Amino acid sequence: FAASSRLRYTSDKGEVSTDQGWTKNKRPKEKVRTAILVEECDDGSFKVVDCGENAHSNYIRILHGVNRKKTKERKKECKGSPDRYYYFDRFKMSLYQNDSDEKSWRDPMVKDVSGRREFKASVVFTWCIRCLKDQALKRLPTNEDKDKIRWVILVPAIWQEPAKKLMINAAIKAGIPPSQLQLCLEPEAAAIATIHDSSVTALIAKGTRYMVLDVGGGTCDITCHEVTCPERFEVKEIRKVNGGDCGSCQINARFEQILAERITGGKKSWRTFKMKSPRAYNEFCENFEQCKLEFSSKEELYIPIPSSLAKLLPKDYRDGMEIDEDYLILDREFVSKLFDDASILKITNLLAWELNSCDGRGLDFVFLAGGFANSIYLRRKVQDCVSKISSTIEVKYPLDASMAILKGGAMMGESPTAIISRKARFTYAVTRVEDFDVSRGHDERRSYVTSEGLKKIRVLRILVNEGEDVRLGQEISSKMYYSPAQYIT
């Protein structure tokens, strides 16, 4: 989470604090993993032990039967059988259901990492939001008026409306008053944070048009804006937000799949390694995450590997992979193909489609933001993609790209009117009943006769078309008059 006070925000030109106070996070001012650890109590209820890196560290400690906490209260916190604990990790994208329409959308089930238990996603997200809320309140001054706090929940643009509604309900159940709650799309937050970035502010002026490519672990979201008032950092949307589920976690998942296929004993041995050696597994994942950002396609990728995993992999070179003492070495072609097939090609195809659809010649900049924005390989691919379409668009990388969404969320809480106009996501309309009239283009097949013998037809009256500009606070109304007979079908 990130936080800002109105006084500090206005006096320090958009200063946002990201120091979250997580004791186990190696980088206390950066985002933490989407993870939560819960304990089943004797009465069958569940309580949250911790979330983020703390949850992961506690879970590993419990699996090993080790408790290094000093105080009696904390010793009691993680006491008991490991079977009483359920750990959930990277569950955010469980709400993305691309293969179902909104009417068939259902609250999905989320399994803990061991696969022993599953809960409704609404329950898990409520636990997580409550934990984050309590941690955030600890970081605020003791004299802070909690009734004046505006809580901003960030969600991917590609989520369907029921998923967004689930997040709102989860936040309310977590103790956030509805009147103090605001939902914000991640690419919009990234865009607002980007134009506040010191490396970008000097580049924008009234009429500047830009695209923000927000690439994180789960999704790639795209938004396009035009600056209307640079002094107040106000913008208007010039295209609907778009995106896809092609974040960097797709690379991790594909790489794990390849390792599971090549490891001695196959997928079963890989599952055993993950369960029995959680420290080694987590260490390897963190090493790969860091190396993933540093890969440039110009040299091999050297990933430090724990000995417990090295013993399970073949030592000789095989299909782009080999073991050399404490390193897993991946050749350039192997890593490039891994990145491209799992994520990068989907990202660049989405980017190219958006640039071509909105006439890329009208854009001045493409800003790359999100956790995966620091990837050297991704930056090169994005630059190549943009250059093929337009020679005038500049690709820029804000100084704090990985924290853009988080900071932008706090900024949107302080300035909810920063985006003064948006493109309608859907077509909004109402139906009305009219006298059937062929001369007005009415379709005979859709007509019906009332009990009074009157021939009628239901017609659709469009209020707002998809993609139409809608100003912030704009009211759209239509006067229609019906008689009771008109409701008879």
Side-chain angles (χ1 to χ4, degrees):
F1 61 85
S4 69
S5 66
R6 182 166 296 278
L7 177 62
R8 185 179 179 186
Y9 182 83
T10 53
S11 61
D12 294 347
K13 298 180 180 179
E15 182 65 25
V16 175
S17 171
T18 58
D19 189 355
Q20 303 167 63
W22 299 109
T23 57
K24 299 297 187 297
N25 190 18
K26 296 179 180 179
R27 296 176 291 275
K29 294 188 178 183
E30 294 191 14
K31 292 185 291 184
V32 297
R33 67 195 300 154
T34 308
I36 189 167
L37 178 66
V38 298
E39 178 187 3
E40 185 173 8
C41 302
D42 293 334
D43 61 1
S45 62
F46 296 88
K47 71 173 183 178
V48 176
V49 176
D50 223 325
C51 58
E53 299 297 335
N54 291 14
H56 184 76
S57 299
N58 283 331
Y59 181 64
I60 291 176
R61 185 178 296 112
I62 291 168
L63 287 181
H64 280 270
V66 176
N67 193 338
R68 298 178 181 175
K69 295 187 175 182
K70 296 179 180 180
T71 66
K72 291 182 179 179
E73 182 180 352
R74 289 186 176 181
K75 281 184 179 180
K76 185 178 179 181
E77 187 178 285
C78 289
K79 186 178 179 181
S81 168
D83 293 338
R84 294 168 60 95
Y85 297 88
Y86 301 96
Y87 175 66
F88 302 86
D89 194 15
R90 293 174 178 162
F91 50 85
K92 175 180 172 181
M93 288 303 291
S94 63
L95 294 187
Y96 180 56
Q97 301 177 21
N98 188 38
D99 56 348
S100 63
D101 56 34
E102 293 190 10
K103 291 183 178 180
S104 61
W105 198 95
R106 295 292 182 270
D107 188 351
M109 302 300 291
V110 179
K111 287 186 178 182
D112 74 306
V113 294
S114 70
R116 294 180 294 117
R117 190 74 179 263
E118 62 179 7
F119 297 85
K120 286 186 176 181
S122 56
V123 174
V124 178
F125 277 92
T126 298
W127 287 337
C128 192
I129 294 174
R130 182 182 291 117
C131 187
L132 289 170
K133 178 195 67 134
D134 293 344
Q135 178 68 9
L137 291 174
K138 292 177 184 177
R139 305 294 295 171
L140 296 177
T142 54
N143 61 347
E144 188 76 35
D145 188 349
K146 296 180 177 59
D147 294 334
K148 293 184 179 180
I149 297 174
R150 177 180 286 133
W151 299 89
V152 181
I153 305 292
L154 293 157
V155 297
I158 63 172
W159 276 6
Q160 294 171 300
E161 296 305 307
K164 298 173 186 175
K165 181 65 175 176
L166 182 146
M167 290 296 289
I168 293 174
N169 292 335
I172 294 172
K173 290 179 182 177
I176 298 177
S179 60
Q180 297 172 236
L181 181 61
Q182 177 182 338
L183 210 63
C184 178
L185 297 182
E186 290 179 354
E188 291 189 345
I192 296 302
T194 296
I195 62 174
H196 276 79
D197 192 286
S198 58
S199 64
V200 173
T201 304
L203 301 175
I204 63 173
K206 185 175 182 180
T208 299
R209 290 188 160 204
Y210 63 85
M211 173 186 290
V212 172
L213 184 65
D214 167 29
V215 188
T219 64
C220 169
D221 292 323
I222 297 177
T223 187
C224 298
H225 290 158
E226 179 181 318
V227 178
T228 57
C229 182
E231 294 79 16
R232 294 197 298 269
F233 296 99
E234 290 181 348
V235 299
K236 69 176 182 179
E237 194 174 72
I238 55 177
R239 273 188 67 78
K240 284 197 312 175
V241 292
N242 195 8
D245 58 334
C246 46
S248 65
C249 284
Q250 302 288 339
I251 298 173
N252 300 41
R254 177 56 187 149
F255 185 48
E256 277 202 28
Q257 184 181 353
I258 293 173
L259 287 177
E261 293 169 353
R262 298 190 183 184
I263 203 171
T264 304
K267 295 180 180 179
K268 184 177 180 180
S269 293
W270 179 253
R271 288 194 297 268
T272 302
F273 165 71
K274 290 172 65 174
M275 290 302 300
K276 292 189 174 181
S277 305
R279 285 182 192 271
Y281 171 70
N282 184 58
E283 177 189 342
F284 177 70
C285 289
E286 289 183 351
N287 291 340
F288 177 69
E289 194 68 31
Q290 184 61 39
C291 293
K292 185 173 70 175
L293 297 178
E294 297 171 353
F295 176 68
S296 65
S297 78
K298 294 182 179 180
E299 55 189 19
E300 292 79 10
L301 196 62
Y302 284 74
I303 307 171
I305 185 172
S307 58
S308 55
L309 177 57
K311 294 176 182 177
L312 300 174
L313 287 167
K315 301 295 186 291
D316 57 320
Y317 177 84
R318 188 179 301 178
D319 297 330
M321 185 187 303
E322 67 177 319
I323 300 291
D324 182 14
E325 296 182 353
D326 299 328
Y327 289 90
L328 174 62
I329 305 174
L330 309 178
D331 67 31
R332 293 172 296 172
E333 291 76 14
F334 174 86
V335 183
S336 296
K337 189 175 188 309
L338 169 67
F339 278 40
D340 289 344
D341 292 349
S343 174
I344 301 295
L345 284 178
K346 297 175 185 176
I347 293 171
T348 52
N349 287 341
L350 184 63
L351 172 61
W353 189 88
E354 282 292 320
L355 288 172
N356 287 320
S357 298
C358 71
D359 185 6
R361 291 170 296 179
L363 292 173
D364 299 295
F365 301 101
V366 169
F367 297 121
L368 192 58
F372 197 37
N374 291 326
S375 165
I376 298 173
Y377 186 72
L378 174 64
R379 289 185 174 190
R380 183 170 65 81
K381 288 290 187 176
V382 168
Q383 181 65 69
D384 292 345
C385 177
V386 174
S387 298
K388 290 178 181 178
I389 296 173
S390 172
S391 59
T392 61
I393 300 176
E394 295 184 60
V395 180
K396 297 290 184 180
Y397 317 104
L399 296 175
D400 204 4
S402 63
M403 296 296 286
I405 299 174
L406 203 55
K407 287 187 172 183
M411 291 175 180
M412 288 292 285
E414 292 286 1
S415 304
T417 60
I419 302 176
I420 64 172
S421 174
R422 291 179 173 87
K423 296 292 184 179
R425 308 292 189 261
F426 310 99
T427 293
Y428 298 87
V430 293
T431 58
R432 66 176 182 180
V433 177
E434 294 182 353
D435 294 330
F436 181 80
D437 187 348
V438 176
S439 65
R440 297 177 61 187
H442 290 169
D443 188 346
E444 178 75 36
R445 294 169 298 179
R446 298 178 58 200
S447 66
Y448 62 93
V449 178
T450 67
S451 58
E452 288 83 5
L454 301 174
K455 196 171 185 179
K456 299 286 184 177
I457 187 171
R458 291 184 182 276
V459 296
L460 196 67
R461 183 181 181 89
I462 296 177
L463 301 177
V464 180
N465 281 300
E466 179 183 357
E468 188 177 331
D469 289 324
V470 180
R471 299 187 309 276
L472 188 67
Q474 178 181 351
E475 292 185 3
I476 300 172
S477 60
S478 176
K479 292 183 179 180
M480 291 177 287
Y481 302 93
Y482 298 97
S483 65
Q486 290 177 318
Y487 288 98
I488 301 173
T489 59

